[in-house]
Amino acid sequence: GCACNVAYKDPLLYCHCIATTETLDPNYTFRDALLKELLQQESLLPSIVEQDKGIECTDSTDERFCFQYKTVVNDKILSDVAVNTVKSTTYPELSVNRLYRKTFSALRKDGIVYLIDEKSDTYLLVSRQRVLEPYLRKLLDKNTTELERNMLRSNPPGFLKNVPSSRLRAVMKLSIEKERGK
């Protein structure tokens, strides 16, 4: 069993045990602060309605949380955490930018964030409740036709590319338990 006690363990099914390491943030201080902030932002949004942007995450029925990289970089609290995380490095100013880039790269590799639009630098937070459960529900829904199900399986959405199958299995198991009222 995992002994990680991080706030994002359940909502993201992610923790230090399975996280890609980053030498600039060996204790995951910045990553923890970043994921906590992203989940906090996600929790404030009953649904994402950003019409007119032409981004995958703009459908009015879509409740997934999208954000732009620049909003994270411009966040004062996260900036302070980043500065404190790399303050003992040789070039702290350069290391802060590198920390952001490397952390996002690790989170993309781990299937926690997904780059939806490179031009606008817009990301999707691949959370259990708003992204993975709805996808699996559609896949397992009795009303989904066999053709639709086959299309979903053979052409999965891009955000699934780096999501480990073990994470999907865990979401499925939790969803089934929730259905049974456990």
Side-chain angles (χ1 to χ4, degrees), residues 60-122:
S60 61
T61 62
D62 198 338
E63 294 186 351
R64 298 178 297 173
F65 175 60
C66 294
F67 62 95
Q68 289 185 298
Y69 181 78
K70 68 180 177 188
T71 60
V72 170
V73 172
N74 294 332
D75 184 285
K76 175 76 174 108
I77 294 168
L78 288 175
S79 176
D80 290 347
V81 172
V83 167
N84 283 328
T85 301
V86 298
K87 69 182 174 209
S88 63
T89 60
T90 312
Y91 302 104
E93 309 80 34
L94 294 174
S95 293
V96 166
N97 291 331
R98 204 166 148 251
L99 175 63
Y100 277 93
R101 284 194 323 275
K102 295 285 213 164
T103 300
F104 265 77
S105 176
L107 290 172
R108 284 174 66 182
K109 182 180 179 217
D110 293 346
I112 299 301
V113 297
Y114 172 70
L115 181 63
I116 287 179
D117 186 324
E118 209 167 327
K119 201 168 67 180
S120 66
D121 225 356
T122 301

Side-chain angles (χ1 to χ4, degrees), residues 18 21 51 66 86 89 113 131 134-135:
I18 56 173
T21 56
Q51 307 299 322
C66 294
V86 298
T89 60
V113 297
V131 178
Y135 170 75

Side-chain angles (χ1 to χ4, degrees), residues 24-77:
L24 288 171
D25 189 16
N27 298 319
Y28 302 99
T29 309
F30 177 69
R31 189 175 316 193
D32 289 351
L34 172 61
L35 292 175
K36 181 182 174 196
E37 177 58 26
L38 292 176
L39 284 168
Q40 170 63 27
Q41 301 244 343
E42 182 189 64
S43 75
L44 298 174
L45 302 170
S47 66
I48 304 291
V49 184
E50 276 188 54
Q51 307 299 322
D52 315 323
K53 294 254 166 92
I55 297 168
E56 185 183 325
C57 215
T58 60
D59 193 353
S60 61
T61 62
D62 198 338
E63 294 186 351
R64 298 178 297 173
F65 175 60
C66 294
F67 62 95
Q68 289 185 298
Y69 181 78
K70 68 180 177 188
T71 60
V72 170
V73 172
N74 294 332
D75 184 285
K76 175 76 174 108
I77 294 168

